[in-house]
Amino acid sequence: MDTITQDELYNSLINGAKEVMNNRLFLNDINVFPVADGDTGSNLFSTMKSIVHHSELKENTKTTLESIADSAIIGARGNSGLIFAQYLQGFSEGITAETVITKEDFVSASKNGMEYAYQAVGNPVEGTILTTMTVFYNELSKELSNHDTFDTLLEKALKKVEDAVENTTDQLKVLKQSLVVDSGAKGFAYFIKGFLDGIQGRLISKEITEVEEIIPAIEQHDYTVVDYRYCTEALIEQESDVADLKNLISDIGDSIVQVKGKRKTRLHIHTNDPAELFDRLSNHGKIIEQKVDDMVQQHDRIHNRKYKTVIMTDSIADLPKELIDDAQVHVIHISLLVGEESYIDKLTVTNEKLFELAKAKNIHPTSSQPTIKSIENAYHYLLSYYENIVVFSVAQALSGTYNVFSKAAEKFNENKQVIHIIDTKQNSVAEGLIVWQAIENLKADKSVDEIVSAATYSIGQSKILVKINTLDNMIASGRLSVRAGGIAKKVGLKPIITLDEKGEGKIFKVTFASNRALKKILKHMKHINETQGIKHYAVTYVDDPQLGKDFADALNNTLNKEPEYITKSSGVIALGAGVGAVAVAYITK
């Protein structure tokens, strides 16, 4: 067999993808480079799953391989996933055969794939998946004339690839310290093994599912803390040929990889500022997908878990990042929709940018609740490290998020309740303050029942007061009609907004000047403190830190008590409250 058909090539590539998918958990387990976040297997699984489920056997080899490459780009995740996708893009463009592929065709395409993979990486590092791609091509080229059949040539090349994988341990210090091989390089070896099995007729027939979407607890590895926190990716659709965007973002991170198709490009970067990344990319095409993984949190959860119970909440709960980090709180970030583009609350867009986008596109952004599947995956992940999850949700009356949390928890709670869902009946800083109190109880080594009981009691003792500076956002969101809003703006209405006992929004007080609104809030807070006693309070602001500080100072002077914290609001709150809004929440004694 010195040639293979288009069908054989396609089926063998699919078989290679399935072989990688079958070994996902092991690849997660040995993942220490570039970051020990235990997700290389899951990232490659996503890439290969997209190939298996979305590529098609077309009318000729060229279009078939284009289908595989396009599917890989759409599903690519992580460093190794993106590099692999670019390898397949180069392999696709390197094939000229119509339906019958010679060994020479295959070797030439492998060279093209290798070169594309190197071009995709901003700073190529040897001892990784790139090295095994090079070894594969070099051995194919070297042995081409010594083998009459495809499979014997591939067997020889696979042996060299496997040797190269073993050698990665000595090529990178972090691998040697941890006594593991590079997970991306090993993933490529699995792919070539599966491809060879396919050529020899040993096809994987078993359906590979996502039931094991658990990132396993892995061994302790020594590694250097990374300079950049967020593993960030963007899928961009461009009207013309895809531009090289690596230089555009080279100053805000490392581990930069760009996978380029004909009209789509996927970018990967480790950065501390995902919002800045997407701000820069916004002028270079339509952003159709965003992903951000917190590598520091992933590493701490794996290696430095503090408690047996984890607190989980949505991003509408306004809490300082340092408090979330310290207590290892798991945050479900809400999606923010600006026309056809979707952003990730508190990660890929700032409140200021949201207002800018809304003005430029003449559209009011909206929010979207998480999917049941995404929450199920989060539960799977967390329960691989923790015994219990306590979930704090934005008010059920305001969002379907509570129902999603509850529905996703059903199958986990069938035999024993390990997930506890709490409707805070609040939002913003009031929701955050209830979570903050739960964090304090967790630190005090309180039981799950005690944490839940204290939170349930505090919900009835909590309140939020939002000082609105402009009615534009309330009108744009439909909370005020255009006619009523126009009249209110004309007379200078400055309402104070709160939530009732069910969590539904209502007007607390009406004033006609910003300073009058402040005085009414301070008067109310003083009265509550004198009659009921304010146990805890916290402050949030939408876009102006100085306004937040001034508001907190005024409250401190009134109550003779500092807030537990001051923090910026979520984008979801910003969309409703508008520019210049501030809010205070409290829990009474």
Side-chain angles (χ1 to χ4, degrees):
M1 183 179 63
D2 60 347
T3 63
I4 57 174
T5 65
Q6 170 196 340
D7 290 29
E8 288 173 319
L9 177 65
Y10 174 76
N11 290 329
S12 297
L13 288 170
I14 296 298
N15 207 61
K18 288 182 176 180
E19 182 69 22
V20 176
M21 293 168 72
N22 273 335
N23 289 280
R24 170 186 52 181
L25 296 181
F26 175 70
L27 294 174
N28 279 340
D29 193 36
I30 63 171
N31 172 210
V32 297
F33 180 83
V35 181
D37 50 2
D39 65 356
T40 291
S42 296
N43 289 334
L44 284 174
F45 183 96
S46 172
T47 310
M48 300 302 156
K49 177 188 173 187
S50 187
I51 293 171
V52 170
H53 291 286
H54 299 299
S55 65
E56 297 177 314
L57 184 61
K58 301 281 192 176
E59 61 275 8
N60 57 52
T61 303
K62 189 74 175 173
T63 53
T64 295
L65 288 175
E66 285 176 356
S67 173
I68 286 176
D70 287 345
S71 299
I73 290 174
I74 291 171
R77 298 290 185 274
N79 263 32
S80 295
L82 268 74
I83 292 170
F84 218 126
Q86 190 69 351
Y87 177 86
L88 292 172
Q89 180 68 35
F91 188 91
S92 165
E93 294 185 20
I95 283 282
T96 57
E98 284 292 317
T99 56
V100 177
I101 300 94
T102 66
K103 297 193 300 294
E104 289 77 11
D105 291 331
F106 186 84
V107 174
S108 176
S110 298
K111 179 184 180 183
N112 211 50
M114 173 196 70
E115 291 174 345
Y116 267 54
Y118 272 89
Q119 291 167 12
V121 182
N123 183 29
V125 175
E126 295 303 328
T128 65
I129 191 173
L130 293 171
T131 302
T132 50
M133 290 172 173
T134 302
V135 168
F136 183 59
Y137 162 68
N138 287 341
E139 191 63 16
L140 287 174
S141 179
K142 175 185 171 185
E143 294 290 327
L144 179 59
S145 61
N146 297 331
H147 298 269
D148 294 329
T149 63
F150 244 104
D151 57 345
T152 58
L153 175 61
L154 286 168
E155 285 174 349
K156 183 70 173 176
L158 174 59
K159 178 63 172 64
K160 283 291 184 182
V161 168
E162 289 174 337
D163 290 343
V165 171
E166 294 302 315
N167 290 337
T168 61
T169 303
D170 293 321
Q171 288 181 274
L172 290 172
K173 181 180 178 181
V174 66
L175 300 179
K176 193 167 187 176
Q177 289 174 335
S178 303
L179 298 177
V180 294
V181 299
D182 181 70
S183 54
K186 186 65 175 176
F188 184 74
Y190 280 133
F191 183 82
I192 300 303
K193 177 186 178 299
F195 181 80
L196 174 59
D197 285 345
I199 293 293
Q200 295 177 333
R202 297 188 297 274
L203 295 175
I204 299 171
S205 57
K206 179 185 175 183
E207 182 70 19
I208 303 168
T209 65
E210 294 181 85
V211 293
E212 295 180 340
E213 199 58 40
I214 304 171
I215 299 176
I218 66 176
E219 298 177 7
Q220 291 281 352
H221 297 300
D222 292 331
Y223 95 115
T224 303
V225 177
V226 292
D227 294 324
Y228 298 102
R229 176 167 188 156
Y230 298 105
C231 177
T232 308
E233 293 174 16
L235 181 62
I236 307 167
E237 191 172 70
Q238 296 175 299
E239 294 180 0
S240 56
D241 289 341
V242 170
D244 193 327
L245 301 174
K246 294 194 293 294
N247 289 335
L248 176 70
I249 60 175
S250 61
D251 62 318
I252 59 170
D254 63 13
S255 294
I256 298 171
V257 182
Q258 180 178 3
V259 181
K260 295 191 287 185
K262 290 187 175 180
R263 290 291 180 268
K264 290 186 178 70
T265 187
R266 187 176 283 279
L267 269 173
H268 171 281
I269 184 174
H270 292 171
T271 182
N272 288 325
D273 196 349
E276 175 64 21
L277 168 72
F278 288 99
D279 190 18
R280 294 187 187 189
L281 295 179
S282 61
N283 296 322
H284 292 270
K286 179 182 175 183
I287 301 172
I288 56 180
E289 188 178 301
Q290 303 178 14
K291 184 180 83 73
V292 180
D293 290 330
D294 189 330
M295 298 182 292
V296 170
Q297 189 180 73
Q298 286 175 340
H299 179 269
D300 284 348
R301 207 176 299 285
I302 293 169
H303 301 289
N304 304 311
R305 179 175 59 84
K306 291 184 175 182
Y307 311 106
K308 293 180 179 179
T309 295
V310 63
I311 291 172
M312 177 173 164
T313 190
D314 51 72
S315 61
I316 302 172
D318 289 325
L319 279 163
K321 184 65 177 171
E322 57 270 20
L323 292 180
I324 291 171
D325 289 344
D326 182 62
Q328 298 177 340
V329 175
H330 188 85
V331 177
I332 299 297
H333 293 272
I334 304 298
S335 294
L336 300 171
L337 309 177
V338 186
E340 296 181 351
E341 292 186 336
S342 177
Y343 292 87
I344 305 173
D345 188 24
K346 292 183 176 176
L347 286 177
T348 66
V349 66
T350 63
N351 294 348
E352 293 82 357
K353 183 65 178 180
L354 271 178
F355 295 141
E356 181 185 317
L357 288 169
K359 184 177 181 180
K361 298 188 177 192
N362 194 27
I363 189 172
H364 183 70
T366 58
S367 60
S368 174
Q369 67 194 39
T371 64
I372 291 176
K373 180 62 178 175
S374 68
I375 301 303
E376 285 179 349
N377 287 344
Y379 288 159
H380 268 302
Y381 166 63
L382 293 173
L383 287 173
S384 65
Y385 302 111
Y386 299 94
E387 295 178 3
N388 298 280
I389 306 173
V390 182
V391 183
F392 292 88
S393 171
V394 63
Q396 184 178 5
L398 298 175
S399 168
T401 301
Y402 172 82
N403 293 331
V404 173
F405 282 144
S406 299
K407 186 68 177 175
E410 288 178 359
K411 67 180 182 181
F412 298 93
N413 287 337
E414 286 178 351
N415 299 319
K416 177 184 177 183
Q417 188 172 11
V418 292
I419 303 174
H420 306 261
I421 318 292
I422 298 173
D423 176 5
T424 65
K425 296 183 174 61
Q426 293 287 359
N427 67 358
S428 186
V429 69
E431 181 187 356
L433 193 59
I434 292 166
V435 176
W436 174 86
Q437 180 178 263
I439 290 172
E440 293 299 301
N441 287 331
L442 184 65
K443 290 179 179 178
D445 202 28
K446 297 290 181 67
S447 69
V448 171
D449 289 343
E450 287 174 316
I451 291 171
V452 171
S453 177
T456 303
Y457 178 77
S458 292
I459 289 168
Q461 309 301 118
S462 65
K463 195 175 191 66
I464 186 171
L465 300 172
V466 186
K467 179 175 168 289
I468 301 294
N469 185 54
T470 173
L471 295 174
D472 291 343
N473 287 64
M474 295 184 70
I475 296 169
S477 65
R479 291 173 182 160
L480 269 180
S481 70
V482 174
R483 183 173 180 276
I487 294 172
K489 287 176 68 175
K490 187 172 291 187
V491 298
L493 186 69
K494 301 289 183 183
I496 301 168
I497 307 298
T498 190
L499 300 181
D500 64 19
E501 64 277 1
K502 294 180 181 179
E504 295 178 345
K506 70 175 187 178
I507 293 177
F508 174 71
K509 298 283 184 181
V510 174
T511 66
F512 295 94
S514 184
N515 63 334
R516 289 292 302 161
L518 174 62
K519 288 179 180 179
K520 283 184 179 286
I521 290 174
L522 295 176
K523 181 180 179 181
H524 170 80
M525 294 289 287
K526 182 179 181 181
H527 172 72
I528 292 296
N529 194 41
E530 290 172 348
T531 57
Q532 300 179 39
I534 292 177
K535 188 176 182 181
H536 307 295
Y537 79 98
V539 169
T540 191
Y541 58 90
V542 164
D543 61 320
D544 190 333
Q546 190 60 49
L547 279 179
K549 183 180 182 305
D550 292 344
F551 188 41
D553 287 345
L555 287 162
N556 187 13
N557 290 334
T558 300
L559 304 174
N560 196 28
K561 175 184 176 67
E562 292 186 355
E564 304 298 347
Y565 60 83
I566 306 171
T567 191
K568 191 172 187 176
S569 81
S570 72
V572 178
I573 297 303
L575 294 179
V579 173
V582 291
V584 60
Y586 62 83
I587 298 173
T588 61
K589 297 178 181 178

